[in-house]
Amino acid sequence: MSIVQALLCGIVYWIAEADIPFVSLWVLQRPLVCGLITGIILGDPVQGAVIGASINLVYLGFISAGGSMPADMALAGILGTAYAITGGLDAQTALAIAVPLGLLGTIVWYLRMTFDSIFVHMMDRQIAAGEFSKIPWTVCVLPELMAGVFCVIPATLAAYFGASYIQPFIEMCQGTPMQIFSVIGGLMPALGIAITLQYIFKGEARLFLFLGFMVATCTHMTLIEQGIVGLLVALLYTQITDKIKAAPAVSAAGAGGAGYDPDYDPDED
Amino acid sequence: MEAEKKKLIPKSALIKAALNWENWVQTCYNYERMMGQSVVMTFLPVVKHLYPDNKEKQIDVLTRESEFFNVHTEFGSCILGMAISLEEDKAQGADIPNEFITNLKTSLMGPLAGVGDTIYQGVLIPILLALCIDITRAGNGNIWGAILYAVLMIAISYGLSIGNFMFGYNAGGDAIMDFLEKGILNKLLSAASIMGCMVMGGLIVNYVGIKCGLVINASGTMFNLQESLFDAVLPNILPLGATLGIYGLMSYKKWTSIRIILLIVIVSVIGGFFGILA
C-alpha cells in the first residue's frame, strides 16, 4: 500500500465518522459501503465490497443511541478490508482481525464527544454577541476539522503500517492459528444477528425466526426471495389478526362468554 | 385563518432549516448538549424572518433553542418543525410562554428517540443491510449491493427527515402526540419484526459458519459427528444454537457485546485448538 492510498483510507474513515452531509452515519459508516470505497482506493472494488459485506454481518443491528458507540464499525470495515486486500486474506479471517480494531476505534468517538463541548461554549458567546454568521463555522466546520485530526492520523498510520506487517503475520499464523481465525470469523456473524434479535425477536414474531430458518435450510431460496416471502407472510399475518380484532364480540362469546355482550346482534354486521 | 396566520417564514427558508438539521445534526455531537447546537443551526435560516429588525429577540430565540436536545435525527425532525411553527405564532403575538416550547420539545424527545432508534437502527437498517450483503456476496461478488444500500439509505433518510419536519411544522404538537398514540408505528413495527425474523432466520443458515470437527473412532469405524449426527438430524442446528445462545446471554444475562466478543474468541481458540469446532 502506498502512503497516498493509506492517507485516502484515513480520509474515508474521517468522512464516515464525522457525519459529513449526504454520506453520514447511516451510509458510509457501514462496512458494506466503506469496504467498497476502500476497495476502489486499493484497486479492487468487488473484493472490497465482498470483504466489507462480511465484516458488516457483525454490525447488523448495532445501535448508537444517546451518544453511546458500542463498536466503531467504520474503522473495522476500512482497516479489515485494506488488510484483506493487501494480505490476500479470505473474508472470515479479515472479519476476525477487524472486530478487535472496531473496539479500539470507539476511543475516537468518545474523544470527539468530549472535546466538541468546547465549540458549544464558543457558540453560546457568539449567540450572545449576535454574531450569527459565525455559528456555522463554530458548530460545523471547526468540529469537523478537529475530528479530521482525531480520525485521519491514526487510521492512516494503522492502514500503512498494518498492511506492511499483515503478510508476514499471516505467514507466521499458518496452521492452527489460521484455523482459529476462521472459527472466530464464522461465529462472529451470530453476534450481529443476536443484537438485531434484541429488537425484533419479540412476542408473536418469535415463531417466524424458526420459519425463516427452516425455509433457508430446506430450500435454496436467496435471501432476497426469502425477504419477499417474509414481507408477504407479515402482511398476511397482520391482515388475519386485524380481522380477528375487528370481531371481538364473536371471539369473546366463543371463548366461554366472559365478554358477553347483551346487545350482541348477529345480523348487525 | 390558519393559512393567513403563517406567513412570516418563506418556504425556501423552511427547507433550508430542514436541510440544516439533516446535514449538520451530528457534526458537533457532544455530551453536554447532545444536539442543542444543531437546533440552533436549524433555527438560523428562519430566525431573521421571525423578528426582522429586532436583534435582541433573535438572540433570545437562539439562546433558548440552544439547550440540551437529543432525538433520533429522522424521526425527531417533526419536533423541530413544530418548534419553529410555535416560535412563529409567538412572534405574531400569540401568548406562548417560553417554557411551553421547551417542555413540549423535551416531552416529545424521549418517545420519538425510542421509536426512531428501534425502527431505524433495529429493524430497517438490519433488514436492508442483510439483503444488500446477500446481493454483494452472490456468485463471485459484485458492487451492486453496496451501491443499492447507499442510494436507498440516502433517499430514505432525506425523504423521511424533510417530510417529517414539514409534518411537524404544519400539524403541530397535538398531531404528533395523536400519531404516537394511534399505534400506527407499533403496527408497522410488529409487521416489520415478522419480516425481520424471517430474514434473520435465513441469515443464520447462510452466514453463521460453525461446524463440529470431531471424529470419533468407534471400534475401527470413523464416526464424523457433523456428518453423521448433526447433518442427519437437522443441518445448521449449530449456527442456530450459537445465535440463540448469544441472544439469551445478551437478553437475559445482560451481557455486553464486548463480553460476547471475548467469549467468541475464547470458545474459538479452545474449540479450534482441539479440533472440536471447524
Side-chain angles (χ1 to χ4, degrees):
Chain A
M1 189 188 297
S2 72
I3 187 77
V4 177
Q5 284 172 324
L7 185 66
L8 286 174
C9 288
I11 291 172
V12 173
Y13 176 56
W14 172 36
I15 298 173
E17 197 67 11
D19 200 32
I20 284 167
F22 273 107
V23 282
S24 83
L25 296 174
W26 309 135
V27 184
L28 192 59
Q29 197 192 24
R30 310 290 138 170
L32 175 64
V33 183
C34 62
L36 168 68
I37 307 291
T38 310
I40 293 172
I41 293 170
L42 297 175
D44 194 345
V46 174
Q47 188 64 4
V50 171
I51 303 282
S54 310
I55 293 171
N56 210 151
L57 284 167
V58 186
Y59 304 104
L60 272 185
F62 262 67
I63 286 195
S64 160
S68 69
M69 178 61 77
D72 187 342
M73 60 181 101
L75 193 65
I78 293 166
L79 291 183
T81 308
Y83 295 167
I85 291 178
T86 49
L89 310 181
D90 63 15
Q92 285 196 331
T93 313
L95 209 165
I97 292 174
V99 171
L101 295 171
L103 291 179
L104 270 179
T106 49
I107 299 169
V108 172
W109 174 267
Y110 291 117
L111 271 178
R112 246 190 85 210
M113 288 284 290
T114 308
F115 283 99
D116 274 349
S117 294
I118 301 168
F119 303 111
V120 180
H121 291 283
M122 280 169 70
M123 178 194 75
D124 283 346
R125 283 197 293 277
Q126 286 163 353
I127 291 177
E131 300 167 323
F132 298 160
S133 59
K134 286 185 184 167
I135 292 174
W137 290 90
T138 313
V139 299
C140 300
V141 180
L142 288 180
E144 295 285 41
L145 291 178
M146 184 191 74
V149 176
F150 289 162
C151 294
V152 176
I153 295 172
T156 304
L157 293 177
Y160 187 72
F161 290 107
S164 56
Y165 287 116
I166 193 74
Q167 222 136 22
F169 175 71
I170 294 299
E171 271 158 29
M172 206 177 70
C173 292
Q174 286 309 324
T176 313
M178 277 310 270
Q179 212 172 325
I180 291 170
F181 278 146
S182 127
V183 176
I184 295 175
L187 261 175
M188 279 299 177
L191 170 64
I193 297 170
I195 292 173
T196 311
L197 289 180
Q198 307 277 314
Y199 298 92
I200 58 174
F201 192 56
K202 282 179 180 161
E204 293 153 335
R206 285 177 178 234
L207 208 56
F208 294 91
L209 178 76
F210 301 102
L211 185 63
F213 174 78
M214 286 312 293
V215 167
T217 303
C218 304
T219 69
H220 292 289
M221 272 194 216
T222 66
L223 208 57
I224 292 283
E225 289 161 351
Q226 201 171 335
I228 295 169
V229 172
L231 182 66
L232 293 174
V233 168
L235 292 174
L236 195 67
Y237 185 82
T238 321
Q239 281 176 3
I240 293 172
T241 43
D242 275 1
K243 272 221 175 89
I244 294 170
K245 271 183 208 149
V250 180
S251 58
Y260 175 68
D261 176 6
D263 297 330
Y264 173 62
D265 176 3
D267 297 330
E268 218 168 54
D269 293 327
Chain B
M1 230 179 86
E2 278 292 305
E4 225 177 297
K5 244 173 71 183
K6 292 185 171 169
K7 273 195 306 197
L8 286 183
I9 305 173
K11 183 112 187 169
S12 60
L14 268 182
I15 289 175
K16 223 173 153 197
L19 280 174
N20 264 6
W21 171 252
E22 176 68 20
N23 279 341
W24 308 108
V25 65
Q26 297 226 29
T27 48
C28 190
Y29 205 33
N30 61 84
Y31 287 118
E32 203 180 324
R33 305 271 178 84
M34 291 292 185
M35 299 176 175
Q37 69 289 334
S38 317
V39 182
V40 172
M41 275 303 292
T42 313
F43 267 82
L44 270 186
V46 299
V47 77
K48 56 178 178 284
H49 297 289
L50 292 177
Y51 302 101
D53 306 309
N54 194 335
K55 198 86 178 180
E56 286 301 307
K57 291 257 183 180
Q58 292 181 12
I59 291 173
D60 280 351
V61 173
L62 291 187
T63 307
R64 69 171 168 268
E65 294 301 339
S66 70
E67 283 169 30
F68 180 92
F69 189 73
N70 193 29
V71 76
H72 181 268
T73 312
E74 282 79 17
F75 278 78
S77 68
C78 59
I79 304 180
L80 279 301
M82 178 208 71
I84 287 179
S85 143
L86 284 173
E87 290 285 1
E88 190 177 35
D89 290 347
K90 191 179 162 73
Q92 285 171 313
D95 181 28
I96 302 172
N98 292 344
E99 299 79 44
F100 178 77
I101 301 177
T102 313
N103 289 345
L104 202 57
K105 267 169 64 189
T106 335
S107 65
L108 284 170
M109 195 163 91
L112 280 167
V115 163
D117 282 332
T118 311
I119 292 186
Y120 226 69
Q121 304 188 67
V123 179
L124 175 73
I125 290 182
I127 294 178
L128 207 57
L129 270 176
L131 297 177
C132 290
I133 288 171
D134 198 57
I135 296 174
T136 303
R137 299 207 351 177
N140 291 323
N142 60 78
I143 58 171
W144 301 114
I147 290 175
L148 182 70
Y149 172 80
V151 170
L152 280 176
M153 217 50 220
I154 291 173
I156 293 172
S157 297
Y158 276 80
L160 183 61
S161 180
I162 293 168
N164 203 12
F165 183 93
M166 293 303 170
F167 167 71
Y169 177 77
N170 292 319
D174 291 339
I176 299 173
M177 280 292 188
D178 271 359
F179 184 72
L180 281 174
E181 277 164 10
K182 251 188 214 154
I184 297 172
L185 285 175
N186 278 333
K187 212 165 154 184
L188 197 75
L189 195 61
S190 71
S193 298
I194 291 175
M195 180 185 170
C197 277
M198 287 276 294
V199 173
M200 290 304 138
L203 214 57
I204 293 174
V205 172
N206 288 315
Y207 292 112
V208 183
I210 175 171
K211 280 186 156 47
C212 182
L214 274 189
V215 179
I216 297 166
N217 190 344
S219 56
T221 42
M222 292 307 221
F223 186 74
N224 185 319
L225 223 53
Q226 179 71 35
E227 283 172 16
S228 325
L229 180 66
F230 295 121
D231 286 353
V233 180
L234 182 61
N236 305 316
I237 187 85
L238 285 181
L240 180 69
T243 310
L244 288 179
I246 294 172
Y247 168 80
L249 285 175
M250 297 189 85
S251 179
Y252 301 113
K253 301 269 178 200
K254 302 288 166 217
W255 278 38
T256 59
S257 50
I258 297 175
R259 277 180 86 177
I260 300 284
I261 289 173
L262 282 176
L263 177 76
I264 289 178
V265 171
I266 292 168
V267 168
S268 303
V269 168
I270 296 172
F273 190 78
F274 292 107
I276 304 167
L277 299 174

